[in-house]
Amino acid sequence: GVINRTRGFPRNGGNKTYSNIPYHRVETVVEAKSMDGGDGRAQATRYAYKIQQARPDRPGLYVLSIKPQHFQVVFSSPVGPVASEHTLWTDLRSLCAYVYSLYDPPSGHTLYDRTITWSEQTDLSAPKWTVQTASGCYADARVTFLGDPWARRTTVLRVVRDDQPIVVIKEAFVDCKRRFKEAELLEHVHKDGYLHGVVLHISSEIVQAD
């Protein structure tokens, strides 16, 4: 069966192992460059992209680019990365605001999806996730597909349980005004009986940001 989770967002794979710190354990990144170094913002933004792919529980992420003469804050979300102006180190108010936002982000900057949590593993293998949905709680879900985190950010998770059908959980960020409803399409496909090769729809929901 399939569970569709659509995330309202306004318009404006495999079981791999890690050789270093896995991205799903990272909360933020600070990229430091020398005075004559390259563009730290570009590198920090690439890290944000990777972290958001690895963490379906992180719709938004702050990263920081620093140089001896200034710093720059980047907020990455499904609508893409947005960077602040270069800010001098004498502006401690802006620097403190960045740190504060990691714990209490401004309105519209959602950092965590509390309906998805990762399970602690005894090794550095790919994480398992627990997903709370309208139809119940599904543990030990593994990510099988990762979309572009700067677009719909489609994520597909697969839950395999003993003596029970496999459950597929699909979620994506879409425009709130979008008329197409995938759940209705799946129900229409099976309305005259089960059609082989097409997943059965269990439930759908719009996940609200906290």
Side-chain angles (χ1 to χ4, degrees):
V2 64
I3 299 168
N4 279 328
R5 288 156 53 87
T6 301
R7 300 187 170 281
F9 211 86
R11 190 176 298 157
N12 217 8
N15 185 18
K16 299 181 179 179
T17 58
Y18 300 89
S19 59
N20 299 303
I21 297 175
Y23 277 116
H24 71 275
R25 301 296 297 269
V26 176
E27 296 296 329
T28 189
V29 169
V30 178
E31 177 65 19
K33 294 290 187 181
S34 66
M35 186 174 293
D36 299 324
D39 185 4
R41 181 186 67 178
Q43 185 64 42
T45 302
R46 284 192 288 270
Y47 285 135
Y49 185 96
K50 294 292 186 181
I51 294 169
Q52 287 183 274
Q53 274 198 317
R55 296 195 59 168
D57 65 326
R58 291 301 304 269
L61 183 75
Y62 283 109
V63 294
L64 188 66
S65 169
I66 65 174
K67 299 186 77 169
Q69 59 269 49
H70 55 68
F71 65 89
Q72 196 168 20
V73 179
V74 178
F75 179 67
S76 179
S77 75
V79 297
V82 179
S84 70
E85 299 292 333
H86 290 128
T87 307
L88 298 177
W89 288 104
T90 53
D91 186 357
L92 295 180
R93 183 182 181 91
S94 295
L95 185 61
C96 290
Y98 156 72
V99 175
Y100 186 80
S101 295
L102 297 175
Y103 303 92
D104 188 9
S107 177
H109 286 200
T110 301
L111 301 185
Y112 292 94
D113 173 6
R114 303 300 181 183
T115 67
I116 302 179
T117 56
W118 59 273
S119 304
E120 183 72 52
Q121 302 292 95
T122 57
D123 54 20
L124 292 181
S125 60
K128 294 181 179 180
W129 301 88
T130 298
V131 185
Q132 183 67 50
T133 75
S135 61
C137 185
Y138 296 86
D140 296 332
R142 289 191 179 276
V143 175
T144 60
F145 176 81
L146 295 168
D148 187 342
W150 294 340
R152 292 184 182 176
R153 197 172 182 263
T154 300
T155 303
V156 178
L157 302 101
R158 190 169 182 261
V159 183
V160 180
R161 299 171 294 179
D162 294 338
D163 303 322
Q164 295 187 50
I166 294 174
V167 174
V168 175
I169 302 174
K170 176 185 176 183
E171 66 171 29
F173 284 77
V174 299
D175 192 326
C176 295
K177 299 178 181 179
R178 189 167 180 256
R179 291 181 296 175
F180 174 74
K181 300 294 189 299
E182 187 174 6
E184 295 177 2
L185 179 60
L186 289 172
E187 291 175 352
H188 178 76
V189 168
H190 297 289
K191 71 174 184 177
D192 295 324
Y194 174 66
L195 181 64
H196 292 280
V198 181
V199 293
L200 288 169
H201 176 250
I202 296 176
S203 68
S204 61
E205 60 184 301
I206 296 177
V207 181
Q208 299 291 336
D210 57 7

